[in-house]
Amino acid sequence: MRIIVLGGDGFCGWPSSLRLALRGHAITIVDSLVRREIDRELGVDSLTPVNSLPERLVAWREVTGTSIGFEPLDVATDYERLVQVLGDIRPDAIVHFAEQRAAPYSMKSPTHRRYTVDNNVNATHNLLAAVTEVGVNAHVVHLGTMGVYGYDTVPMDLPEGYLTVSYPDRDGDTHVRDILYPTQPGSVYHLTKSLDQLLFQFYAVNDGLRITDLHQGIVWGSQTAETSLDSRLVNRFDYDGDYGTVLNRFLVEAAVGLPLTVHGSGGQTRAFININDSVQCIALAVESGDDVGDRVRVMNQMTETHRVSDLAAIVAELSGAVVSHVENPRREAEVNDLSARNDHLVNLGLDPIGLRSDLLVAEIELARVHAARVKPAHVPAESCWNRERVAARETTT
Ligand code: NAD
């Protein structure tokens, strides 16, 4: 297949591009490289020394003998060029990773809120409008988040995207239909993923686009079989308070002798997926595009759920690190239960690796190799959107 990977220079997009290329697909990465710009804005860098994208692509060609194309392009702002690229390549599938993906970053300031909405909603809408304008029959595979469901303590396995509801009509007859699961975004970032869902629903119904929306859990780990082939292919590994996701942050904290910073009681339960399972899911989703009909196919891309305090205990046990409970900067329930269905991907052949101790230890060791690159001052989460905490901070300053 000819596949365009939007956001193919990022944490999930890079290893996914390599996996798809190795499976024989012709890959073109489209990326504005804004993520590297944001690192400069925040004064941080990936734990792992990541080469420039052109250097990565040269290394891939040398190691595998296959080429991956690159179009530098901002999907949210350069619609005309996007149309041109789609028209030139006429892709069979487009994987859309190209969004601002950190909840804390989206809540730092009004500027960051507005940037996240402008970038994410426009990137998604430009893509859908461009596919429609060019008239290409490309299967759109989007990376959404499990976070759109919210974290109410509902004693059910979360379904995959839709909720079946029944309601009486005026005559008292009962009707049954599927509706998009009501979203409960916990940040402006999650809000953009909720808005994306409506865009997909509209374009699937109105324009007949084939769309898969993957509700992904928190990704942990960094290296895959392909990124391990050569040091120049190494994946990025974020550990800072904005972009470092919880388990990866614990692994780096453990590696450099910092306490594992658990927000609040650590009673939050979240969905997780290893990066190797994530790239496996992307390939399964892309290669099953013929199954997608006129309704958006939503698949929960997660393999397990864990309580944050349990994860901290596992990492502490493996590394000898201590656990430190810090004020929760987020506005979220301190304790919740969560379980979710992932039948779609399992039925397509997902064979999860899951939370294996040897993989956790390998990531801690990788972090130890690069420990000198860690900036400890950037590890704590500074972005705070817990109203009570913000008010308390303001009265003490
Ligand atoms: P990332 O920030 O590492 O990568 C995103 C890439 O998209 C970057 O290379 C960035 O430069 C590019 N990009 C952003 N806006 C763009 C634009 N307007 N035009 C062109 N390129 C643009 O993020 P990631 O961790 O790889 O996440 C990829 C997707 O997966 C995101 O949509 C995210 O919401 C989703 N996701 C990630 C996780 C996770 O734990 N990392 C979990 C759930 C969902």
Side-chain angles (χ1 to χ4, degrees):
M1 283 194 267
R2 285 187 304 276
I3 302 174
I4 294 181
V5 181
L6 307 177
D9 186 46
F11 169 62
C12 299
W14 174 243
S16 299
S17 299
L18 301 189
R19 174 64 52 89
L20 292 169
L22 211 61
R23 291 180 65 78
H25 302 298
I27 306 299
T28 304
I29 288 176
V30 166
D31 202 300
S32 63
L33 306 181
V34 63
R35 180 67 192 84
R36 293 172 185 254
E37 196 56 48
I38 290 175
D39 268 349
R40 288 188 278 278
E41 173 199 336
L42 298 175
V44 291
D45 202 352
S46 162
L47 167 76
T48 45
V50 173
N51 285 276
S52 72
L53 183 53
E55 286 165 346
R56 285 174 143 186
L57 297 178
V58 168
W60 179 251
R61 200 166 53 240
E62 286 174 9
V63 171
T64 65
T66 60
S67 293
I68 293 177
F70 171 42
E71 292 288 343
L73 158 62
D74 187 327
V75 182
T77 58
D78 198 350
Y79 178 74
E80 301 307 328
R81 179 87 190 110
L82 177 63
V83 167
Q84 211 173 35
V85 170
L86 292 192
D88 290 346
I89 296 177
R90 300 202 72 80
D92 303 295
I94 302 166
V95 193
H96 175 23
F97 294 98
E99 294 184 86
Q100 191 299 102
R101 68 99 168 142
Y105 184 84
S106 78
M107 301 302 289
K108 282 176 100 66
S109 74
T111 304
H112 293 90
R113 290 179 191 230
R114 294 175 57 238
Y115 166 71
T116 302
V117 170
D118 290 348
N119 186 64
N120 294 4
V121 178
N122 280 323
T124 299
H125 188 253
N126 280 354
L127 169 63
L128 299 172
V131 170
T132 309
E133 179 173 338
V134 174
V136 63
N137 182 24
H139 170 212
V140 174
V141 177
H142 171 254
L143 271 292
T145 163
M146 287 293 294
V148 293
Y149 296 116
Y151 297 106
D152 270 356
T153 304
V154 182
M156 70 188 285
D157 290 344
L158 279 176
E160 302 198 68
Y162 297 93
L163 189 65
T164 305
V165 295
S166 61
Y167 53 95
D169 67 13
R170 279 194 297 270
D171 301 325
D173 294 328
T174 299
H175 296 262
V176 176
R177 61 182 286 203
D178 285 350
I179 59 168
L180 280 174
Y181 194 95
T183 67
Q184 286 204 39
S187 71
V188 165
Y189 156 70
H190 292 98
L191 172 63
T192 65
K193 297 290 182 176
S194 305
L195 295 169
D196 282 346
Q197 291 196 93
L198 288 176
L199 298 175
F200 295 137
Q201 189 180 52
F202 176 80
Y203 274 89
V205 172
N206 195 71
D207 298 281
L209 264 50
R210 278 183 302 137
I211 301 170
T212 296
D213 196 6
L214 298 168
H215 288 193
Q216 183 164 243
I218 300 168
V219 183
W220 70 274
S222 64
Q223 288 286 71
T224 62
E226 293 80 13
T227 62
S228 307
L229 286 172
D230 187 291
S231 61
R232 294 168 296 168
L233 300 174
V234 73
N235 197 13
R236 64 176 302 127
F237 190 146
D238 297 306
Y239 66 88
D240 61 281
D242 285 310
Y243 278 87
T245 49
V246 57
L247 182 49
N248 275 3
R249 184 163 45 81
F250 287 165
L251 295 169
V252 173
E253 288 171 332
V256 300
L258 291 169
L260 312 183
T261 42
V262 172
H263 293 170
S265 68
Q268 310 90 330
T269 306
R270 296 289 181 265
F272 289 87
I273 184 166
N274 179 267
I275 187 75
N276 290 279
D277 289 335
S278 174
V279 299
Q280 194 191 147
C281 289
I282 298 294
L284 291 169
V286 168
E287 291 168 5
S288 59
D290 289 346
D291 299 354
V292 182
D294 53 7
R295 169 169 124 158
V296 177
R297 178 175 66 164
V298 182
M299 308 202 280
N300 290 341
Q301 185 163 307
M302 45 72 68
T303 59
E304 56 208 312
T305 60
H306 292 285
R307 194 155 276 210
V308 168
S309 54
D310 293 341
L311 290 177
I314 292 169
V315 176
E317 168 90 29
L318 288 172
S319 63
V322 296
V323 175
S324 164
H325 290 266
V326 298
E327 274 196 345
N328 190 350
R330 300 182 179 217
R331 189 164 186 275
E332 63 186 10
E334 285 284 307
V335 178
N336 71 288
D337 286 324
L338 174 69
S339 65
R341 307 211 60 98
N342 63 356
D343 310 55
H344 272 107
L345 282 160
V346 169
N347 290 338
L348 287 173
L350 170 64
D351 182 16
I353 294 176
L355 194 75
R356 274 194 353 221
S357 325
D358 59 325
L359 290 179
L360 291 167
V361 169
E363 295 291 347
I364 294 173
E365 275 162 13
L366 179 72
R368 284 202 176 118
V369 170
H370 299 294
R373 292 172 56 83
V374 175
K375 294 181 176 169
H378 287 281
V379 177
E382 293 296 335
S383 178
C384 179
W385 64 99
N386 177 317
R387 276 205 299 269
E388 292 74 32
R389 302 254 148 72
V390 173
R393 278 186 189 182
E394 277 165 5
T395 50
T396 54
T397 52

